[in-house]
Amino acid sequence: MSFSKTITLQSDALRVNIFIDEHGSTFLQKVLPLPGFSRPAVSKYFANSFAPLVEARLAGEGTAKHKSSKSLIATYVGARMLYQSHQIEQQENSSTLHITLADPVSKVTVIAHLTIYKGIPVLRATSTIRNESNAEIVVTQLSSLVLGGLTTGSEKWWADYVLSVPNNSWFREAQWIDHDLPSLGIDDYGVYGRPEEHAASLAHYSVSNRGTFSTEGHLPMGLLKRNDNAETWLWQVENNGSWRWEVGDWKDSVYLAAGGPVETDHDWRQTLSPGQEFTTVPVSLCHVLDNYEKAFAAMTSYRRQMRRKHQDHERLPIIFNDYMNCLMGDPTDQKIMALVDPVVQAGAEYFVIDAGWYADDSGWWDDVGLWEPSKKRFPMGFKELLSQLKSKGLIPGVWIEPEVIGIRSVVANQLPHDAFFQRNGQRIVEKGRFQLDYRHPAVRERLHSIIHRLVTEYGVGYFKFDYNIEVTQGTDIDCSSPGSGQLDHNRAYLIWVNELHDRFPGLLIENCSSGAQRMDYAMLAVHALQSSSDQQDPDRYAAIVAALPTAVTPEQSATWAYPQPEWDDETNAMTVVNSLLGRIHLSGRLDILKPHQFELVKQGMDVYRTIRADLATAQAFWPLGLPNWHDEWIALGMAAQTSEKHDSGVYYVAVWRRGGSDSVELPIPALLDCSVSRQVLYPPNFPSELSWEQTRGVLHIHTPSKISARLLKLTINQT
């Protein structure tokens, strides 16, 4: 090319500019929310902080210059890629730009796919690499998204921005931690402006996952925000397996690179014969010239747009599950029938029989896989039991682990040897289970037949798909590498779940993995519901509940409410409040509660039915900021929306006290200078005091009990 040019992809909410220089090198120049403005570059050393549109590594190639091979940028292929062509594809609510680049040395072509959406400031990116040479190649890294200049306009970017990282693990999910950049090694090192013309230091900070628990350790997300709340970047990687994102310094600013598995972290390599291609997992990036709440609101809107549509997202039925702090994996027809009438009286619409229904005793862990009901547990017959549930107006559901076979199960010897994850000819064993490989048709056909039988013969209308092992080794059967085998399995599993929905459109499927160890939007794009945690203490659960809207939409966020007869009334009210701003997973010993305790639970279910239509489109806000694990006061708000996706003037606020002072101030900037009516929705008759300070937009709340929770409704008074 003899001259530079810019390609623009634009919606009413976002403008994306691609810059192509006079040599044909191509860069993601700008991701700008609209209406908005670009900050001018202020670096003394660089006119811009652009990074190559795509970064890729082939076997034998490391880093061209500047960074090290530990990072995802500064690759040989990325630097050699030259613009070839582009096209824009228009859909009803989105537009996709396909940009084709070519490497004249390796003869590979890469197509960057960039999608934007009507009304949402989010960019979704994937990349496809194709082998145009006459010889086999091995790809060891391919980025989904690379963007430099995130801190453009800031001279002291290392001090002006904070990186937030979401820790996530069993019993302690979705806990965001703020880090100043220098504490992570991202700083002004003094390398710029030297005669050697360094474009960056060697430093970067990465977050990654390896294995089948996609969110054990961290959610596949990150957030970069200005200290003055004038700008926020928020991203998520959409893969149900291995992934990585990183930030670092590049040309006197901060870059982001993100994607799925790579060789260095995940033992991933993809061999491509001539003409073959590979496409990365999606990465979605939100940019707002505002605070983090606006970024999470935009990401919530995007998640609602990109997922598979299901009637459950609008109905939000109340689900009873017999596991948590209830039967705990030991169901019988007698125990279940004792629960049925209280469950119906409480207002539940589904009854899910959790673990244990397929086993005669408690030693089933390493014997699962047959998925046939126990006759010993259910002498009346499992089919008759489910029929009894249906006669009471309940839709029956069951728990199942469709991806594992216990090492003692007869099924372990019935399926082909290569239907399981393996390394070097040996089946991988993890906690007494074998990992099924959904690439194998025998696996998919067997599980299709099991689901078909349970739906058509037993009338099951709900499945809780659980998964309780983490395989980090991948599989080396019929693939380029263990990492690529795992990725292909991950994708095959999602296809299988989609096929279930196609066959049974009304079927409701919950995604569970030791609570929320796969709380990612590859899974949540195809599963209607997400189990939020296995946390058994309602006061600890509050810190998870309040943070969940950062990771999952409220209408997909299944939270336990598990009242107990030995708990005091405030604790039982707290466990109910925990579930009221998401999806109720009612459990606990409803059958042996005292009458006033049961009435307390029923009041909560009644309240939920009056507000759940608002939750289906609500946007979250956090009057006290995102929760910390040991905070004494926690608050989560939901702003109800109009059909035009504006605040309706109705705001629900859940407030938890876990010690400390008996009162707190809740700033709600959206209600500043508004006349507001206040109501305690739940529990309606417990002691609490509310007052509204209109000129400051602050709600004052007092509760005398050190362990307490309230659900409030605030309504703007129309003048």
Side-chain angles (χ1 to χ4, degrees), residues 229-250:
N229 290 321
E231 182 179 33
T232 306
W233 298 89
L234 173 66
W235 56 90
Q236 68 177 24
V237 184
E238 296 163 14
N239 189 31
N240 52 328
S242 300
W243 52 267
R244 170 172 165 166
W245 63 259
E246 73 179 36
V247 295
D249 70 296
W250 179 259

Side-chain angles (χ1 to χ4, degrees), residues 45 196 409 469 492 586 624 680:
Y45 311 109
E196 299 86 354
S409 173
I469 64 172
L586 183 60
L624 297 176
V680 179

Side-chain angles (χ1 to χ4, degrees), residues 142-144 237 239 242-244 258-262 266 268 280-281 283 487:
L142 180 62
S143 65
S144 296
V237 184
N239 189 31
S242 300
W243 52 267
R244 170 172 165 166
V262 298
H266 314 109
W268 177 88
T280 63
V281 305
V283 172
L487 177 59

Side-chain angles (χ1 to χ4, degrees), residues 366-510:
D366 59 358
D367 192 32
V368 295
L370 203 56
W371 307 118
E372 294 181 354
S374 166
K375 296 179 181 178
K376 180 179 179 182
R377 288 184 182 274
F378 309 110
M380 73 163 58
F382 197 60
K383 187 179 295 186
E384 174 61 23
L385 176 62
L386 299 195
S387 179
Q388 291 281 334
L389 296 180
K390 286 185 282 187
S391 72
K392 297 286 187 176
L394 296 165
I395 298 174
V398 297
W399 176 99
I400 188 174
E401 286 187 276
E403 295 165 80
V404 300
I405 299 293
I407 59 174
R408 292 193 300 113
S409 173
V410 296
V411 183
N413 296 318
Q414 293 175 350
L415 287 169
H417 187 60
D418 56 356
F420 299 87
F421 270 37
Q422 298 178 42
R423 290 297 297 267
N424 302 312
Q426 299 297 314
R427 287 188 191 178
I428 291 174
V429 180
E430 180 72 15
K431 296 182 177 178
R433 272 97 176 273
F434 297 126
Q435 169 72 49
L436 288 171
D437 189 339
Y438 268 72
R439 296 176 300 160
H440 200 290
V443 173
R444 300 191 301 274
E445 290 166 8
R446 174 176 173 77
L447 270 298
H448 267 311
S449 67
I450 289 171
I451 300 301
H452 182 271
R453 172 169 51 85
L454 289 169
V455 172
T456 60
E457 296 182 23
Y458 290 84
V460 172
Y462 184 110
F463 284 99
K464 178 179 178 179
F465 282 175
D466 207 346
Y467 179 74
N468 292 295
I469 64 172
E470 181 175 23
V471 176
T472 61
Q473 301 96 321
T475 181
D476 59 12
I477 294 293
D478 296 328
C479 56
S480 302
S481 64
S484 68
Q486 181 190 308
L487 177 59
D488 289 344
H489 154 78
N490 294 146
R491 289 172 161 172
Y493 177 76
L494 298 176
I495 291 171
W496 176 75
V497 175
N498 267 316
E499 289 172 349
L500 291 179
H501 285 303
D502 293 339
R503 296 182 183 193
F504 308 107
L507 188 64
L508 187 50
I509 304 177
E510 171 192 347

